[in-house]
Amino acid sequence: MTDPNAIQPSALDQLPDRDPEETAEWQASLDAVAREAGPHRAAYLMRRTLERAEAGGVALPKLLETDYVNTIPTSAEPALPGDPEMEARITAWNRWNAAAMVTRGAKHGVGGHIATFASAAWLYETGFNHFFRGKEQDGSGDQLYIQGHASPGIYARAFLDGRLDEAHLDNFRQEAGGNGLPSYPHPRRLPWLWEFPTVSMGLGPLSAIYQARFNRYLTNRGVKDVSASHVWAFLGDGEMDEPESTAALALAAREELDNLTFVINCNLQRLDGPVRANFKIVQELEAQFRGAGWNVVKTLWGTAWDELFALDTTGALVRRLRQVPDAQVQTYQTRDAAYIRQDFFGADPALAEMAKLLRDDKILECFHLSRGGHEARKVYAAYKAAVEHKGAPTVILAQTVKGHTLGEGFASKNANHQMKKLSVDEFKAMRDLLDLPIKDSDFTDGVVPYGHPGADSPEVRYLQERRAALGGPAPARRVHPLAPLPAPADKAFAAFDKGSGSQNVATTMAFVRLVKDLVRDKETGKRWVPIVPDEARTFGMESLFPSLGIYSPKGQTYEPVDRDQLMYYKEAKNGQILNEGITEAGSMADFIAASTAYATHGEAMIPFYIFYSMFGWQRTADQMWQLGDQLGRGFLVGATAGRTTLTGEGLQHADGHSPVIAATNPAALSYDPAFAYEIAVIVREGLRRMYGEAKPGEDQNVFYYLTVYNEPLPQPAKPAAPGVDEGIVKGLYRFNTAETAGVTAPANAPRIQLLGSGTAIHWTLEAQKLLAEEWGVAADVWSATSWGELRRDALDADAALLRGEERVPYVRQALQGAEGPVLAVSDYMRQVPDQIAQWVEQDWSSLGADGFGLSDTREAARRHFGVDARSIVVAALAQLAKRGEVKATAVKEAREKYGL
């Protein structure tokens, strides 16, 4: 069978051979080495030759895989600084307390994970002692993305450091009382410790890449020099199966993000079993990262293996390590020396001879214990190589044993992710293994004690001295005392109050125009971060290209094809726009990094991310929960919004539900503005709330979601009635009455209240006219800018009533005294307006675009869904007929007249 990885003759034939005789000599030399010294030696020489060629600048494809050995040989490892014995004692205490915390919590049924930190303890401890910079030097420090399931170990270290006490540990996963520790890294739940939520699988690595990229953005734009910050992302090998985990590898390499290191804990296990049972996850990841352009450092074997590698004069050991699948490596972890001799060494005569030179305890030490990720010296060498490497990000593939030091019942067992506790006897065995001074009598009534050497012990003093030298505690989140950003000049917002006259303007265009004015503000303009996923021209943002520039760390190394045009495509090293290509996930990661810069770097940035509304909450809602957890601030803008407004695009582009999903996020303030002046009011309020002077008790850690439309229509002037701005912010105000609208209805005509949001208000206004002129019905029209905020206020009012406080929901206050029934209309499914129905005292009904979207004209789509003006008229007449205020026959007449 032809080797699919071999270079085929047809490919070589494309390259002219200028000296066939020389080529034949090289090939003959390779054949001779393979014949005399074996194929392993031939492969070794070829790899060394390719490495030499690469070092000399010869353009050759890179090797995607290397042997299953450490990248850094023992002879090249730097000396481990500090006091290794002291660090081992500190790590032992952390291992103990992490396991004790989860075991004690298991009595309450709250769960937890023990095995992950047990495998990764040295990966963290080495970083905390020698690499991770705190925030007390430059306010930024390093950014640490901690593997979620390892959180007990981080809490254990904070306990040793005095940042947590026993009461905290005893409230692990028990937060309702106010003194608990969240299960995983959740900044919203523990905002002084955690910076980045990571346990939603795949989002940690994606966010880490864009955080490193945003650090460069801040530096290159001159906002703040954060070039000393390094981003460390701790990941699991199983987690790398998530598509988001590897989605941005090429970006990190392309932009040479050498301020970024991935540390992948390759314990070869995921939640239910081996990550790659029949294959080798380390080799797969190495090829994937090398192919993307990353620097790869493998830290696989501990020092116990040095003797074995020294005996491997034929390459048989290295060859066998490459052959054995991961699930079999896991099996070796649990079997005796006789099994390993037979299955591993017995597979090759050269290895069988080698095994004769090895004692059983040596074999067990190598196969049961000695992994690169469990030795501080090996980890230190890898970390040092990572931070010193320039021109590319680094991934460290550190092999470990899941459940290491927890005993034979845990190590490498398929079920260990679900195992939540150790028995007292297992703890005592662990104590003896770790050589901890914990007495049998300390296990009172079978309860596992926490261990602490004392606040003034050598271990604690050493730990704190190391952290002081590195800039303070870590991980740590700090919200620097920032002065409120000055409000932009009123004229930027007031420009929309007068409307557009006879000019048709889509609300998308209105928003872009507003931002265009705001980024010119001398005080805050540079803090805006426009983010768009390769749709800037769709949203009319190309006018920002030449004035703001598109961020690129390379600047512009070419002459753009449209250079002679006014709105040419301009890239710049200090560019302000993040134009991300076709990646909503990457754009959201950008947004998260920018929206939390006020805490990460002490710099308030104002991101706005504009996207096809259908491809926001539907595709990246998990990241929006991450954004809320990370306490981000900024503006998400769902453009080309609505189910019937985006003509011709069809089902997968027709957004009928993003406000429903947005309403589920407690940190999201969701608005569906109808008019340009409403957008101006909402953005001005958002800037005040998130970046300006907060009101007493007001949470600044929110973000805004605005839906804007691509339907050009005349923009009316803001009504002069009092309370309009307040109504826009709170979610509802009366836009006009039948009388102020100038429509003619008989005296004492039946009346109805029409509530419309977003673009639907235009159909509502048309229905208002038809109802008056053709059916003698007076209709008042209300603009519902936020169904979600109306509901949130009403829920708060309900909760206040249960506390004995008198509060009337705003929606009930606004509609108090309004005559007739209420009919609500939106370009979304009926569930959107219906979320406030229970707090409306009047008779309620609604219209919406339920079901799948479809391709057609706007008019046909609206008729199909029954939300056009004539459908509104029929629904309004039906409401009034039910109340006996119009004849029942009017509904049938209207249906027939309008062809419904």
Side-chain angles (χ1 to χ4, degrees), residues 221-254:
R221 284 196 54 219
V223 176
K224 181 180 181 180
D225 184 358
V226 296
S227 54
S229 291
H230 199 90
V231 177
W232 299 82
F234 289 84
L235 317 168
D237 47 0
E239 181 181 5
M240 300 311 294
D241 281 348
E242 293 285 0
E244 295 87 353
S245 294
T246 55
L249 298 187
L251 167 72
R254 184 170 66 245

Side-chain angles (χ1 to χ4, degrees), residues 536-537 541-550 555-556 558-572 574 577 579:
R537 297 183 192 278
M541 290 175 60
E542 67 270 24
S543 61
L544 300 178
F545 289 169
S547 58
L548 301 184
I550 300 166
Q556 194 155 42
Y558 61 92
E559 182 178 355
V561 67
D562 54 359
R563 181 64 182 87
D564 58 342
Q565 297 178 15
L566 180 63
M567 293 183 288
Y568 69 97
Y569 196 83
K570 177 186 174 183
E571 294 189 82
N574 64 346
I577 301 170
N579 192 1

Side-chain angles (χ1 to χ4, degrees), residues 662-699:
T664 65
N665 192 309
L669 279 63
S670 178
Y671 286 87
D672 186 26
F675 306 123
Y677 67 80
E678 294 178 352
I679 292 172
V681 171
I682 294 164
V683 170
R684 179 168 56 189
E685 170 64 9
L687 289 173
R688 180 208 63 78
R689 176 166 179 173
M690 295 184 291
Y691 302 98
E693 294 282 358
K695 298 175 183 177
E698 189 173 52
D699 185 7

Side-chain angles (χ1 to χ4, degrees), residues 641-719:
R643 178 148 283 165
T644 70
T645 304
L646 186 58
T647 59
E649 294 286 356
L651 186 151
Q652 291 188 24
H653 286 66
D655 173 22
H657 53 277
S658 70
V660 176
I661 308 175
T664 65
N665 192 309
L669 279 63
S670 178
Y671 286 87
D672 186 26
F675 306 123
Y677 67 80
E678 294 178 352
I679 292 172
V681 171
I682 294 164
V683 170
R684 179 168 56 189
E685 170 64 9
L687 289 173
R688 180 208 63 78
R689 176 166 179 173
M690 295 184 291
Y691 302 98
E693 294 282 358
K695 298 175 183 177
E698 189 173 52
D699 185 7
Q700 286 190 285
N701 298 316
V702 296
F703 60 92
Y704 283 67
Y705 174 58
L706 281 72
T707 49
V708 293
Y709 299 82
N710 71 332
E711 185 172 14
L713 292 165
Q715 295 296 324
K718 183 196 291 188

Side-chain angles (χ1 to χ4, degrees), residues 523-547:
E523 296 288 338
T524 59
K526 72 174 184 177
R527 299 195 174 275
W528 283 87
V529 183
I531 303 167
V532 59
D534 199 36
E535 289 283 1
R537 297 183 192 278
T538 299
F539 307 138
M541 290 175 60
E542 67 270 24
S543 61
L544 300 178
F545 289 169
S547 58

Side-chain angles (χ1 to χ4, degrees), residues 62 209 216 248-258 260 289-295 391-394 553-554:
K62 293 183 179 180
I209 289 174
R216 288 281 173 85
L249 298 187
L251 167 72
R254 184 170 66 245
E255 299 203 0
E256 301 178 357
L257 298 180
D258 50 26
L260 170 67
F289 278 86
R290 282 192 191 279
W294 286 54
N295 175 46
T394 294
K554 297 288 186 182

